[in-house]
Amino acid sequence: MLERQERRAVEPARAASAARRHALPLAVGAASLVYATLVVTVASRSAGADTGADLWLQLTVVVLVCAAQTVALTARARRPAWCFLPTLAGTCVLMVVTSSRTGSVTPAYLAAIVALGLHAQPALRTTLAVTGVLVEAAVQFGLLLQHDLITVQDTYAFAGPLLNIVLTYVVCMSVGQLVAQHRLRQRQMLDELARSRHEQERATVDAVEAERHRMARELHDVAAHHLTTVVVQGRLALSHDDPTLRDAALEAVVSHGRRALTSLRHTVTILRTDASETPPVHSLDTVGELLKGLEHALGAARLATEGDLRSLPDAVQLAGYRIVQESVSNVARHAPLSDVEVVVRRTVDALTLEITNGPPRHPGTGGGQRLGLTGMHERVALVGGSLEAGPTVAGGWRVRAHLPAPPEMESP
């Protein structure tokens, strides 16, 4: 869709460029015809010449030369040499026929010199410019000598016409160079704009992908914990014959169902707003409540904390809590009723978490897709920490996380 829109936007520009490429030679050719015709007519009448055959011959030559120069201008961009040489030849023909340079230097000839400075390579541009100066000077000096307007002995008489020719080339080619530089800057700006747009589109795609990962991680952390507890407690309720234990398990199912709804509502609120502006619902101070809520799905649960946990930044608080939550949820899912030990240790510049469980005492609910472990790695990476997880010698599982929390990161 985007490529189609870009093509639709480019097609009018290409059409306008093609129209401009063909309209310019026609306009310059028409101007050359009008200019040369007026100059030849005025010069003939001022000289008192017969307005018969000589004038019509000159006008015929003017029309043919201007037509040839107009056709040559169409190749100014692709073949600047093929554009310049015919216009130079036409100018020399007009100089011979009219015996004057004034009416011979047409707008088409000047446009060809400008195109030479605009499109030709430096070596070719220099060669053709020198050729043009020499050829035009030779024709003009020949006419001046033929009409006895200058003499060979008067070397200073050659300086004026030669300077006129050189200035014509210098000015026209300078204009061409200025236009070339302007177009080069335009192309660079367009390339930079296209590159910036591409980078912006890529950044947008990366941001959307990152947001998708964040949403998946939050929903998994919230839903997996509570729903795992609901499943485990439901299985325990079905397996208990004691009505008291069965009722307690069902009450735990209802309690965790309500907590799941509350957590999901809060997660949706975070995803709809800026997460950095929304304080985390849970912190490491509530890990005890987390373990208490899973007391029917776990065996003996022991919590040990060291250091001041309240001064941790919110990002580290939430990451630490989610790691503990996911770890004990995995214990409830894969090793129900096993003993769990949670150690939360705050040092001067880091937070260390260690969650260890013993071998399962009850069959688990299945292998899973390891999304929880992936989510824990992502959370740890976001705060610049590290995480290790693997089986223990006793047949259980251990999760170790190291989250940097230097003093300058502490919450005020």
Side-chain angles (χ1 to χ4, degrees):
M1 180 64 69
L2 181 60
E3 293 180 356
R4 185 181 303 173
Q5 292 177 352
E6 290 181 350
R7 286 198 300 269
R8 289 178 180 176
V10 169
E11 287 176 358
R14 289 180 177 175
S17 177
R20 187 167 56 251
R21 186 167 58 251
H22 295 292
L24 182 61
L26 293 176
V28 174
S32 300
L33 179 61
V34 172
Y35 171 76
T37 301
L38 290 176
V39 171
V40 169
T41 303
V42 172
S44 297
R45 293 188 179 277
S46 299
D50 185 10
T51 58
D54 292 339
L55 178 58
W56 286 110
L57 175 62
Q58 293 179 358
L59 292 177
T60 301
V61 173
V62 166
V63 172
L64 294 177
V65 168
C66 289
Q69 290 180 339
T70 301
V71 174
L73 283 177
T74 59
R76 65 192 183 279
R78 300 185 304 275
R79 298 287 188 272
W82 293 8
C83 169
F84 172 73
L85 292 176
T87 54
L88 174 63
T91 298
C92 293
V93 170
L94 287 178
M95 290 173 62
V96 172
V97 172
T98 61
S99 301
S100 172
R101 185 176 183 269
T102 303
S104 304
V105 181
T106 61
Y109 179 51
L110 299 178
I113 302 176
V114 172
L116 194 64
L118 176 60
H119 300 291
Q121 296 297 324
L124 179 62
R125 180 169 62 240
T126 302
T127 302
L128 293 178
V130 172
T131 301
V133 170
L134 294 178
V135 170
E136 188 179 344
V139 174
Q140 186 174 5
F141 291 154
L143 292 174
L144 293 175
L145 291 172
Q146 180 182 359
H147 292 85
D148 297 327
L149 297 176
I150 61 174
T151 60
V152 178
Q153 292 78 11
D154 188 9
T155 55
Y156 291 101
F158 291 89
L162 181 60
L163 181 61
N164 191 9
I165 296 172
V166 172
L167 287 177
T168 300
Y169 272 80
V170 170
V171 171
C172 291
M173 295 187 69
S174 298
V175 171
Q177 286 290 291
L178 290 175
V179 174
Q181 293 176 3
H182 175 69
R183 292 184 178 180
L184 178 60
R185 286 194 295 269
Q186 276 190 328
R187 286 195 296 269
Q188 291 175 346
M189 290 176 62
L190 291 176
D191 292 342
E192 184 65 26
L193 180 62
R195 186 162 47 251
S196 299
R197 181 164 60 178
H198 176 71
E199 292 176 355
Q200 183 179 6
E201 292 174 354
R202 184 174 180 179
T204 302
V205 172
D206 292 342
V208 171
E209 189 68 18
E211 185 66 16
R212 289 180 59 233
H213 282 292
R214 187 169 76 95
M215 293 172 64
R217 185 169 57 248
E218 291 292 337
L219 292 175
H220 177 271
D221 289 345
V222 172
H225 168 71
H226 292 292
L227 295 181
T228 296
T229 306
V230 168
V231 172
V232 172
Q233 297 291 352
R235 292 182 60 182
L236 292 176
L238 293 176
S239 63
H240 281 310
D241 295 331
D242 188 347
T244 303
L245 296 178
R246 186 186 305 115
D247 291 343
L250 291 176
E251 288 179 0
V253 169
V254 174
S255 175
H256 277 277
R258 290 174 178 172
R259 293 180 185 178
L261 289 176
T262 302
S263 298
L264 287 175
R265 290 192 187 101
H266 179 73
T267 301
V268 171
T269 301
I270 293 177
L271 297 177
R272 286 178 176 175
T273 58
D274 187 359
S276 63
E277 299 177 358
T278 306
V281 174
H282 302 289
S283 65
L284 291 172
D285 290 335
T286 61
V287 170
E289 299 177 5
L290 173 66
L291 296 176
K292 185 178 180 179
L294 290 171
E295 58 184 1
H296 295 287
L298 303 175
R302 189 174 74 88
L303 172 64
T305 61
E306 299 179 15
D308 183 13
L309 302 179
R310 292 174 298 178
S311 62
L312 289 170
D314 290 343
V316 178
Q317 286 273 9
L318 183 58
Y321 179 86
R322 292 302 190 194
I323 291 171
V324 175
Q325 181 188 53
E326 180 62 30
S327 298
V328 296
S329 297
N330 288 337
V331 174
R333 183 187 305 115
H334 302 293
L337 302 179
S338 64
D339 298 335
V340 177
E341 181 181 11
V342 179
V343 178
V344 182
R345 183 180 298 109
R346 169 68 192 278
T347 60
V348 177
D349 58 355
L351 172 69
T352 303
L353 303 172
E354 184 172 324
I355 303 95
T356 308
N357 65 275
R361 300 178 181 176
H362 193 276
T365 59
Q369 299 178 339
R370 301 180 66 87
L371 296 178
L373 187 60
T374 301
M376 285 193 289
H377 278 288
E378 291 177 352
R379 285 193 178 277
V380 170
L382 285 176
V383 295
S386 60
L387 184 137
E388 297 178 359
T392 63
V393 179
W397 191 266
R398 178 181 291 110
V399 175
R400 286 196 184 99
H402 180 83
L403 309 179
E408 59 268 17
M409 290 180 57
E410 295 182 359
S411 300

